[in-house]
Amino acid sequence: MSIRKIMYIVLAGLSFSVCSVVKAEQDLKLWYEQPAKEWVEALPIGNGGFGAMVFGGPAKGRIQFNDDTLFTGEPHDYSHKGAAKYLPELRRLLLEGKQNEAHELGNKEFMSISTKGNNRQEAYQPFGDLNLVFAGHDKFTVYYRDLDLNNAIATVRYKVDDVTYTREVFASFPDKAIVMQISADKPGKLNFLAGMTCLHKDSVVKSQGDDLLILSGQVENGKTRFEGRLLVRVDGGETVSSDAGIEIKGANKAVLILVGASSFANYKDISANPTKRCLDKLNAIGEKSYTILRQRHIADYQELFNRCGLDLGITDKAKLPTDKRLKQFGPEDPQLATLFFQYGRYLLISCSRPGSQPANLQGLWNDKKNPPWDSKYTCNINTEMNYWPAELTGLSECHLPLFEALKDLSVAGAIVAKEHYGARGWVVHHNFDLWRGAAPINNANHGIWVSGGAWMCQHLWWNYAFTGDKEFLRNDAYPLMKGASLFFMDYLVEDQKGKEKYLISGPSNSPERGGLVMGPTMDHQIIRTLFVNTAHAARELGVDEDLQKELLVKAGRIAPNQIGSLGQLKEWFYTEDPKTTHRHVSHLWGLHPGLEIHPRTTPELAEACRVTLKLRGDGGTGWSKAWKINFWARLLDGDHSYKMLAEALRGNTYPNLFDSCPPFQIDGNFGATSGIAEMLLQSNGSEIEILPALPSAFPSGKISGLRARGGFVVDIQWQNGELVSVAIQSLGGTEPIVRYKDKVCKLRIKNTQTVILNKKAFELE
Ligand code: FUC
């Protein structure tokens, strides 16, 4: 770099205001003028593993709560012993074009065996309802409720006669409880009944003393036991309790503390004691006042939430209640995009914290015993999408539950690797559940898909790529990545038709498209990426030299991406179906979340992705649209990316801003957050690109705290569609190459140092 340029950058740093942390200065509230009638109007709170939906009805205030370890079933090994015997036959049938026979054989001999003897996995379950009954409060006026993303507190306020009633509720991670304060602004005016109900048959609710209500039971169709304890403290007045609930009479204020626990210890053991766990939680809370509990909650939450701030500008549209803004979303309401971006981060903090289960198809929130797709973990897109924003937006810790689940899956999946494929390592198919089912489920035509575990390994590598945490790489990530790689080294087969003798995947499928096949493109992209990432990890750690070489050689032999008859990217190695508008666009994995296709590095393949997306159209489920936000951002087309965001918001979002598949499925929330981040910053380990896909709908704004591969924190400010300044702080990375449009800046940064560049820095050669 020339001295003149270095000077310019330093000067730029002095003379241009740093895009300082975008503080939580905007109102980041979802707010409404009426109570929730439907579940998807209620507002979610959660501390990772324990959470609730807050309805906010004045006369009937329902708080429907969940614990993420309540699943039907019990510990179980789903593998199909001896299935590997049929693997050669499955491959032979497929290569001979006998797909129906392969499906039949697969369904008969290759699928999971559940406790019930079928090929299904188990379902996530609701816990209970806390029901508040306020006699006479159906005559309410001046109603307001919100969820404030700045402090993760849901508030309900209304008047009855001349008394204003206020409820505040939050789910505390440090105190492991749902805490609610209910107050009246006139003394002695608080009268209500707090009861609990539960959908699981044989569950019981019992009162103890004047202030405690205990709900206990066992998951119906399962063996897991649970207990919930509601403790009521009052200021003024008195409490009278019975099994029907705790009655609060003539109080000024009441504080409700709800804890819950199950007997789930780990995926093999459900012998924990829920009563003891609840008591431990209540004892730890002890005499802590509401104010202290609230402060501790806010401090804990903000430490995560405030790491990334976004400001896209605000207009009068923000004065409308959230539900009224949704359908009209467009460039006139950029703040709704900000709110949606931050809501994704809020939801991840609320449903995935160290010690909790990973975010399932509904995150943590579920009121049904028979939820859509069992609200388990579908890892042919949905589970991974849940975690796309984790590293990008500074929530690395929220990634940990997924990594813990991968440790379990590597054990359960090793049995599947051996029994179904006679292979080393471990494998996970397209779904898993609390019991870590890793074998194929439902139907051979989509259940025999081998790349779930390999895809999730990409997240392990990301953690290292973004944070540079070598201890994590050594102790946690690498052993899992290596095990996944060993599986595929044994599993891949040589193509016999072409002279190149490419390695291909199969039997497998292109998720939910075209049935069981040999050679789906997505598998090849995922496995290639796994091999390369594993080799890089080994190199970083200075281990397994021979394996490194072998992995790179094999990665180079995997069937490459191909362009099809209409100029689209081919979805399968041997065949194509370019005209479909199907929601799954799996073969564009290499464009996003993979890094092997990009307009600057592989322009022909990127063009083929663009053609594919044009052929597929802009429709789809919530998650499909959310993926397309990311795809178009990677294609550097900000306006199309924004169009997909608008389609998702206007067409696939419920009043509480939950993504609608339909029905509710949380992945689209996280996919949208990631997509907005990808419009503003992309990094591939070689370059950090600033404003790569800035939509014209976001002409001016600022973002702070985005993370880039290599170990950097990036703040960006822009105006009238042009960069004003970018601040890059090193978290360990030292030599970033920073791109803005077609110009790059090569920097040297010391660890923890920040360098600030303005637009002119990119204009100098
Ligand atoms: C796959 C998708 C569906 C849904 C389900 C959980 O089956 O095709 O749209 O997301 O997973």
Side-chain angles (χ1 to χ4, degrees), residues 694-726:
L694 185 67
S696 45
F698 300 154
S700 301
K702 50 191 173 172
I703 185 150
S704 66
L706 282 180
R707 306 293 165 121
R709 288 175 180 81
F712 302 98
V713 185
V714 184
D715 300 353
I716 310 167
Q717 189 164 7
W718 69 97
Q719 219 159 34
N720 303 322
E722 295 290 326
L723 175 70
V724 174
S725 69
V726 50

mmCIF file of all heavy atoms in Angstrom, residues 694-726:
data_model
loop_
_atom_site.group_PDB
_atom_site.id
_atom_site.type_symbol
_atom_site.label_atom_id
_atom_site.label_comp_id
_atom_site.label_asym_id
_atom_site.label_seq_id
_atom_site.Cartn_x
_atom_site.Cartn_y
_atom_site.Cartn_z
ATOM 1 N N LEU A 694 -26.600 -3.206 -1.562
ATOM 2 C CA LEU A 694 -27.421 -2.187 -0.898
ATOM 3 C C LEU A 694 -28.649 -1.897 -1.757
ATOM 4 O O LEU A 694 -28.522 -1.457 -2.892
ATOM 5 C CB LEU A 694 -26.596 -0.906 -0.705
ATOM 6 C CG LEU A 694 -27.290 0.189 0.080
ATOM 7 C CD1 LEU A 694 -27.497 -0.223 1.532
ATOM 8 C CD2 LEU A 694 -26.488 1.491 0.004
ATOM 9 N N PRO A 695 -29.848 -2.131 -1.244
ATOM 10 C CA PRO A 695 -31.040 -1.864 -2.050
ATOM 11 C C PRO A 695 -31.324 -0.360 -2.135
ATOM 12 O O PRO A 695 -30.989 0.376 -1.191
ATOM 13 C CB PRO A 695 -32.162 -2.561 -1.281
ATOM 14 C CG PRO A 695 -31.613 -3.023 0.001
ATOM 15 C CD PRO A 695 -30.168 -2.673 0.087
ATOM 16 N N SER A 696 -31.940 0.065 -3.215
ATOM 17 C CA SER A 696 -32.249 1.494 -3.313
ATOM 18 C C SER A 696 -33.264 1.904 -2.244
ATOM 19 O O SER A 696 -33.372 3.085 -1.909
ATOM 20 C CB SER A 696 -32.729 1.859 -4.719
ATOM 21 O OG SER A 696 -33.656 0.913 -5.146
ATOM 22 N N ALA A 697 -33.987 0.927 -1.686
ATOM 23 C CA ALA A 697 -34.959 1.242 -0.623
ATOM 24 C C ALA A 697 -34.274 1.621 0.692
ATOM 25 O O ALA A 697 -34.944 2.104 1.604
ATOM 26 C CB ALA A 697 -35.880 0.051 -0.398
ATOM 27 N N PHE A 698 -32.983 1.370 0.821
ATOM 28 C CA PHE A 698 -32.253 1.764 2.033
ATOM 29 C C PHE A 698 -31.168 2.778 1.659
ATOM 30 O O PHE A 698 -29.965 2.487 1.780
ATOM 31 C CB PHE A 698 -31.567 0.556 2.692
ATOM 32 C CG PHE A 698 -32.465 -0.570 3.130
ATOM 33 C CD1 PHE A 698 -31.971 -1.875 3.216
ATOM 34 C CD2 PHE A 698 -33.796 -0.354 3.486
ATOM 35 C CE1 PHE A 698 -32.787 -2.932 3.631
ATOM 36 C CE2 PHE A 698 -34.613 -1.407 3.892
ATOM 37 C CZ PHE A 698 -34.105 -2.693 3.958
ATOM 38 N N PRO A 699 -31.548 3.982 1.194
ATOM 39 C CA PRO A 699 -30.514 4.899 0.669
ATOM 40 C C PRO A 699 -29.506 5.336 1.732
ATOM 41 O O PRO A 699 -28.332 5.509 1.424
ATOM 42 C CB PRO A 699 -31.314 6.095 0.149
ATOM 43 C CG PRO A 699 -32.645 6.006 0.817
ATOM 44 C CD PRO A 699 -32.898 4.561 1.086
ATOM 45 N N SER A 700 -29.962 5.529 2.948
ATOM 46 C CA SER A 700 -29.051 6.026 3.981
ATOM 47 C C SER A 700 -29.241 5.210 5.249
ATOM 48 O O SER A 700 -30.355 4.794 5.571
ATOM 49 C CB SER A 700 -29.352 7.495 4.302
ATOM 50 O OG SER A 700 -29.216 8.259 3.129
ATOM 51 N N GLY A 701 -28.158 5.005 5.969
ATOM 52 C CA GLY A 701 -28.288 4.255 7.218
ATOM 53 C C GLY A 701 -26.945 3.989 7.851
ATOM 54 O O GLY A 701 -25.905 4.447 7.384
ATOM 55 N N LYS A 702 -27.003 3.274 8.935
ATOM 56 C CA LYS A 702 -25.769 2.845 9.577
ATOM 57 C C LYS A 702 -26.011 1.526 10.306
ATOM 58 O O LYS A 702 -27.127 1.244 10.753
ATOM 59 C CB LYS A 702 -25.225 3.904 10.529
ATOM 60 C CG LYS A 702 -26.207 4.456 11.499
ATOM 61 C CD LYS A 702 -25.624 5.681 12.212
ATOM 62 C CE LYS A 702 -26.709 6.321 13.055
ATOM 63 N NZ LYS A 702 -26.262 7.384 13.920
ATOM 64 N N ILE A 703 -24.959 0.771 10.367
ATOM 65 C CA ILE A 703 -25.031 -0.495 11.093
ATOM 66 C C ILE A 703 -23.748 -0.645 11.883
ATOM 67 O O ILE A 703 -22.675 -0.255 11.416
ATOM 68 C CB ILE A 703 -25.269 -1.702 10.151
ATOM 69 C CG1 ILE A 703 -25.466 -2.994 10.970
ATOM 70 C CG2 ILE A 703 -24.133 -1.894 9.133
ATOM 71 C CD1 ILE A 703 -26.341 -4.016 10.324
ATOM 72 N N SER A 704 -23.877 -1.161 13.076
ATOM 73 C CA SER A 704 -22.670 -1.395 13.860
ATOM 74 C C SER A 704 -22.645 -2.835 14.321
ATOM 75 O O SER A 704 -23.689 -3.468 14.496
ATOM 76 C CB SER A 704 -22.648 -0.484 15.087
ATOM 77 O OG SER A 704 -23.698 -0.859 15.954
ATOM 78 N N GLY A 705 -21.456 -3.363 14.473
ATOM 79 C CA GLY A 705 -21.299 -4.663 15.110
ATOM 80 C C GLY A 705 -21.528 -5.865 14.223
ATOM 81 O O GLY A 705 -21.699 -6.968 14.734
ATOM 82 N N LEU A 706 -21.539 -5.674 12.884
ATOM 83 C CA LEU A 706 -21.591 -6.870 12.037
ATOM 84 C C LEU A 706 -20.244 -7.566 12.127
ATOM 85 O O LEU A 706 -19.212 -6.929 12.344
ATOM 86 C CB LEU A 706 -21.877 -6.490 10.582
ATOM 87 C CG LEU A 706 -23.315 -6.155 10.232
ATOM 88 C CD1 LEU A 706 -23.420 -5.814 8.755
ATOM 89 C CD2 LEU A 706 -24.256 -7.320 10.555
ATOM 90 N N ARG A 707 -20.248 -8.879 11.949
ATOM 91 C CA ARG A 707 -18.995 -9.634 12.051
ATOM 92 C C ARG A 707 -18.583 -10.120 10.671
ATOM 93 O O ARG A 707 -19.435 -10.456 9.840
ATOM 94 C CB ARG A 707 -19.165 -10.849 12.973
ATOM 95 C CG ARG A 707 -19.711 -10.503 14.352
ATOM 96 C CD ARG A 707 -18.703 -9.689 15.141
ATOM 97 N NE ARG A 707 -19.340 -9.054 16.290
ATOM 98 C CZ ARG A 707 -18.965 -9.272 17.548
ATOM 99 N NH1 ARG A 707 -17.977 -10.090 17.826
ATOM 100 N NH2 ARG A 707 -19.587 -8.647 18.524
ATOM 101 N N ALA A 708 -17.260 -10.153 10.467
ATOM 102 C CA ALA A 708 -16.738 -10.653 9.196
ATOM 103 C C ALA A 708 -15.785 -11.803 9.448
ATOM 104 O O ALA A 708 -15.095 -11.842 10.467
ATOM 105 C CB ALA A 708 -16.022 -9.531 8.449
ATOM 106 N N ARG A 709 -15.765 -12.746 8.511
ATOM 107 C CA ARG A 709 -14.822 -13.866 8.607
ATOM 108 C C ARG A 709 -13.398 -13.329 8.668
ATOM 109 O O ARG A 709 -13.089 -12.319 8.021
ATOM 110 C CB ARG A 709 -14.971 -14.779 7.391
ATOM 111 C CG ARG A 709 -16.247 -15.588 7.397
ATOM 112 C CD ARG A 709 -16.409 -16.387 6.109
ATOM 113 N NE ARG A 709 -17.647 -17.159 6.141
ATOM 114 C CZ ARG A 709 -18.859 -16.655 5.867
ATOM 115 N NH1 ARG A 709 -19.002 -15.376 5.538
ATOM 116 N NH2 ARG A 709 -19.928 -17.424 5.939
ATOM 117 N N GLY A 710 -12.591 -14.016 9.447
ATOM 118 C CA GLY A 710 -11.229 -13.531 9.655
ATOM 119 C C GLY A 710 -11.086 -12.916 11.033
ATOM 120 O O GLY A 710 -9.981 -12.716 11.519
ATOM 121 N N GLY A 711 -12.232 -12.580 11.658
ATOM 122 C CA GLY A 711 -12.192 -12.023 13.015
ATOM 123 C C GLY A 711 -12.258 -10.512 13.033
ATOM 124 O O GLY A 711 -11.342 -9.854 13.539
ATOM 125 N N PHE A 712 -13.334 -9.942 12.494
ATOM 126 C CA PHE A 712 -13.467 -8.481 12.459
ATOM 127 C C PHE A 712 -14.884 -8.059 12.849
ATOM 128 O O PHE A 712 -15.847 -8.769 12.576
ATOM 129 C CB PHE A 712 -13.158 -7.945 11.052
ATOM 130 C CG PHE A 712 -11.789 -8.314 10.577
ATOM 131 C CD1 PHE A 712 -11.595 -9.404 9.735
ATOM 132 C CD2 PHE A 712 -10.675 -7.599 11.012
ATOM 133 C CE1 PHE A 712 -10.320 -9.773 9.331
ATOM 134 C CE2 PHE A 712 -9.394 -7.961 10.606
ATOM 135 C CZ PHE A 712 -9.214 -9.051 9.767
ATOM 136 N N VAL A 713 -14.939 -6.872 13.472
ATOM 137 C CA VAL A 713 -16.236 -6.249 13.755
ATOM 138 C C VAL A 713 -16.323 -5.029 12.847
ATOM 139 O O VAL A 713 -15.383 -4.226 12.782
ATOM 140 C CB VAL A 713 -16.331 -5.766 15.215
ATOM 141 C CG1 VAL A 713 -17.734 -5.236 15.509
ATOM 142 C CG2 VAL A 713 -15.980 -6.884 16.170
ATOM 143 N N VAL A 714 -17.438 -4.885 12.160
ATOM 144 C CA VAL A 714 -17.524 -3.853 11.133
ATOM 145 C C VAL A 714 -18.723 -2.928 11.388
ATOM 146 O O VAL A 714 -19.842 -3.392 11.599
ATOM 147 C CB VAL A 714 -17.654 -4.501 9.731
ATOM 148 C CG1 VAL A 714 -17.655 -3.439 8.644
ATOM 149 C CG2 VAL A 714 -16.528 -5.504 9.493
ATOM 150 N N ASP A 715 -18.438 -1.614 11.373
ATOM 151 C CA ASP A 715 -19.510 -0.605 11.456
ATOM 152 C C ASP A 715 -19.516 0.147 10.125
ATOM 153 O O ASP A 715 -18.452 0.532 9.639
ATOM 154 C CB ASP A 715 -19.211 0.425 12.548
ATOM 155 C CG ASP A 715 -19.086 -0.186 13.939
ATOM 156 O OD1 ASP A 715 -19.354 -1.380 14.095
ATOM 157 O OD2 ASP A 715 -18.703 0.559 14.855
ATOM 158 N N ILE A 716 -20.680 0.361 9.592
ATOM 159 C CA ILE A 716 -20.753 1.027 8.279
ATOM 160 C C ILE A 716 -21.771 2.161 8.343
ATOM 161 O O ILE A 716 -22.840 2.014 8.946
ATOM 162 C CB ILE A 716 -21.218 0.048 7.165
ATOM 163 C CG1 ILE A 716 -20.389 -1.243 7.196
ATOM 164 C CG2 ILE A 716 -21.148 0.699 5.797
ATOM 165 C CD1 ILE A 716 -20.986 -2.368 6.363
ATOM 166 N N GLN A 717 -21.437 3.237 7.686
ATOM 167 C CA GLN A 717 -22.388 4.335 7.566
ATOM 168 C C GLN A 717 -22.471 4.706 6.086
ATOM 169 O O GLN A 717 -21.449 4.776 5.404
ATOM 170 C CB GLN A 717 -21.864 5.523 8.362
ATOM 171 C CG GLN A 717 -22.876 6.628 8.465
ATOM 172 C CD GLN A 717 -22.505 7.627 9.559
ATOM 173 O OE1 GLN A 717 -21.419 7.537 10.145
ATOM 174 N NE2 GLN A 717 -23.363 8.556 9.816
ATOM 175 N N TRP A 718 -23.663 4.948 5.585
ATOM 176 C CA TRP A 718 -23.809 5.310 4.173
ATOM 177 C C TRP A 718 -24.901 6.351 3.998
ATOM 178 O O TRP A 718 -25.764 6.516 4.865
ATOM 179 C CB TRP A 718 -24.081 4.055 3.323
ATOM 180 C CG TRP A 718 -25.423 3.409 3.533
ATOM 181 C CD1 TRP A 718 -26.536 3.587 2.781
ATOM 182 C CD2 TRP A 718 -25.784 2.465 4.563
ATOM 183 N NE1 TRP A 718 -27.567 2.813 3.273
ATOM 184 C CE2 TRP A 718 -27.135 2.117 4.354
ATOM 185 C CE3 TRP A 718 -25.100 1.879 5.636
ATOM 186 C CZ2 TRP A 718 -27.816 1.221 5.184
ATOM 187 C CZ3 TRP A 718 -25.782 0.980 6.461
ATOM 188 C CH2 TRP A 718 -27.124 0.667 6.235
ATOM 189 N N GLN A 719 -24.800 7.070 2.876
ATOM 190 C CA GLN A 719 -25.763 8.140 2.610
ATOM 191 C C GLN A 719 -26.026 8.223 1.105
ATOM 192 O O GLN A 719 -25.076 8.100 0.321
ATOM 193 C CB GLN A 719 -25.164 9.458 3.068
ATOM 194 C CG GLN A 719 -26.190 10.349 3.728
ATOM 195 C CD GLN A 719 -25.530 11.386 4.611
ATOM 196 O OE1 GLN A 719 -24.458 11.852 4.292
ATOM 197 N NE2 GLN A 719 -26.161 11.711 5.711
ATOM 198 N N ASN A 720 -27.251 8.435 0.743
ATOM 199 C CA ASN A 720 -27.626 8.510 -0.668
ATOM 200 C C ASN A 720 -27.029 7.356 -1.473
ATOM 201 O O ASN A 720 -26.535 7.533 -2.585
ATOM 202 C CB ASN A 720 -27.177 9.842 -1.285
ATOM 203 C CG ASN A 720 -27.776 11.001 -0.511
ATOM 204 O OD1 ASN A 720 -28.937 10.922 -0.075
ATOM 205 N ND2 ASN A 720 -26.999 12.043 -0.300
ATOM 206 N N GLY A 721 -27.038 6.209 -0.902
ATOM 207 C CA GLY A 721 -26.574 5.015 -1.609
ATOM 208 C C GLY A 721 -25.065 4.876 -1.683
ATOM 209 O O GLY A 721 -24.563 3.957 -2.326
ATOM 210 N N GLU A 722 -24.306 5.778 -1.038
ATOM 211 C CA GLU A 722 -22.840 5.729 -1.114
ATOM 212 C C GLU A 722 -22.247 5.587 0.281
ATOM 213 O O GLU A 722 -22.758 6.182 1.244
ATOM 214 C CB GLU A 722 -22.300 7.035 -1.733
ATOM 215 C CG GLU A 722 -22.689 7.257 -3.179
ATOM 216 C CD GLU A 722 -21.993 6.286 -4.125
ATOM 217 O OE1 GLU A 722 -20.831 5.919 -3.859
ATOM 218 O OE2 GLU A 722 -22.630 5.884 -5.117
ATOM 219 N N LEU A 723 -21.140 4.881 0.318
ATOM 220 C CA LEU A 723 -20.435 4.713 1.589
ATOM 221 C C LEU A 723 -19.978 6.064 2.140
ATOM 222 O O LEU A 723 -19.466 6.909 1.404
ATOM 223 C CB LEU A 723 -19.197 3.821 1.351
ATOM 224 C CG LEU A 723 -18.278 3.625 2.549
ATOM 225 C CD1 LEU A 723 -18.940 2.759 3.607
ATOM 226 C CD2 LEU A 723 -16.958 2.990 2.110
ATOM 227 N N VAL A 724 -20.185 6.264 3.431
ATOM 228 C CA VAL A 724 -19.596 7.433 4.101
ATOM 229 C C VAL A 724 -18.332 6.973 4.825
ATOM 230 O O VAL A 724 -17.240 7.459 4.566
ATOM 231 C CB VAL A 724 -20.593 8.076 5.094
ATOM 232 C CG1 VAL A 724 -19.932 9.196 5.886
ATOM 233 C CG2 VAL A 724 -21.820 8.583 4.360
ATOM 234 N N SER A 725 -18.472 6.000 5.695
ATOM 235 C CA SER A 725 -17.283 5.481 6.361
ATOM 236 C C SER A 725 -17.516 4.061 6.853
ATOM 237 O O SER A 725 -18.660 3.635 7.059
ATOM 238 C CB SER A 725 -16.904 6.374 7.552
ATOM 239 O OG SER A 725 -17.874 6.245 8.565
ATOM 240 N N VAL A 726 -16.420 3.351 6.996
ATOM 241 C CA VAL A 726 -16.496 2.012 7.556
ATOM 242 C C VAL A 726 -15.400 1.882 8.609
ATOM 243 O O VAL A 726 -14.272 2.314 8.386
ATOM 244 C CB VAL A 726 -16.383 0.922 6.457
ATOM 245 C CG1 VAL A 726 -15.191 1.148 5.549
ATOM 246 C CG2 VAL A 726 -16.276 -0.470 7.066
#
